[in-house]
Amino acid sequence: MRLCARALSHAPANVLRTVPVSVSPSVSAAVAAPTQADLLDFVRRTAADAELIASLPLDPEGRTWVHLEGPGGSEAWLIGWPPGTGTGWHDHADSVGAFTTARGELKEYSLAVRLPTDGWKTLELTEGVDRERTLPAGKGRAFGRHHVHEVLNESTEEHAISVHAYYPPLPRIRRFSRTGQVLRLEQVERPEDWQ
């Protein structure tokens, strides 16, 4: 199976590297629509595949990724995070998901509140909605629809690698900026923007 790896930032959008990656039968697609628990199990098992993790090309400047076949028609990604990189605040629309750190350590900041799906540009968040998790290698989490978070590699020296899965495949990602308790919708991305 051939899968694509591409730099997420600091490179032109047309830069594409193809690398051969084999996914073991233990991470093949399931028959039924996967649950959050199924996705978490998949990302944990995939993160434990040392050969797959070592095959990810790492870029010193920008994130890289390899698209994987997830269980039951889910969308899955193996992502490399150079020191100091992150996603910015975003959500995953109507998809549930899970991710696990395979190497290094990631930090997740999230909001314990459901945002309106449409019809707003700026929201003021109430106190007490912020959550924070540190996810060292081998640790992960699942999340529900409309989960808003940002994920960061706060290390100044070490790359991190993680595995992510979403079901249904991501229909869009809303990107936000945040200043204090004010969250602003900045952009809506569609699959063609990241695939």
Side-chain angles (χ1 to χ4, degrees):
M1 168 185 308
R2 292 188 70 80
L3 303 169
C4 296
R6 186 166 104 183
L8 288 172
S9 62
H10 303 323
N14 61 354
V15 173
L16 188 64
R17 289 181 268 169
T18 303
V19 294
V21 177
S22 63
V23 178
S24 67
S26 65
V27 292
S28 63
V31 175
T35 64
Q36 290 178 44
D38 295 331
L39 295 176
L40 186 57
D41 179 61
F42 168 82
V43 297
R44 284 179 173 158
R45 285 184 291 115
T46 304
D49 183 337
E51 185 178 335
L52 177 63
I53 301 310
S55 74
L56 180 66
L58 299 177
D59 184 309
E61 302 274 324
R63 291 187 299 143
T64 54
W65 77 82
V66 172
H67 188 246
L68 305 172
E69 292 181 24
S74 65
E75 179 174 356
W77 300 92
L78 177 62
I79 300 176
W81 308 74
T85 58
T87 61
W89 287 97
H90 67 282
D91 73 3
H92 307 95
D94 291 320
S95 298
V96 298
F99 70 99
T100 294
T101 304
R103 185 168 86 188
E105 181 176 278
L106 294 173
K107 180 81 74 143
E108 180 196 34
Y109 297 95
S110 62
L111 301 177
V113 62
R114 184 171 173 166
L115 302 180
T117 54
D118 291 303
W120 66 277
K121 291 285 186 189
T122 303
L123 290 175
E124 186 168 342
L125 302 169
T126 60
E127 296 293 326
V129 298
D130 290 292
R131 301 293 181 265
E132 178 181 321
R133 284 187 174 85
T134 300
L135 300 161
K139 297 293 181 186
R141 69 163 314 219
F143 52 84
R145 300 181 194 307
H146 307 285
H147 179 68
V148 177
H149 69 167
E150 70 173 338
V151 179
L152 305 156
N153 177 6
E154 294 183 334
S155 172
T156 58
E157 299 176 0
E158 184 180 3
H159 263 80
I161 297 177
S162 58
V163 180
H164 303 245
Y166 309 96
Y167 187 84
L170 297 172
R172 66 181 181 166
I173 294 176
R174 293 186 301 176
R175 298 216 174 262
F176 310 101
S177 63
R178 182 166 180 192
T179 305
Q181 293 302 107
V182 176
L183 192 70
R184 176 180 297 278
L185 176 64
E186 297 291 345
Q187 173 181 354
V188 177
E189 295 177 1
R190 306 281 178 206
E192 57 271 15
D193 296 325
W194 64 80
Q195 292 183 357

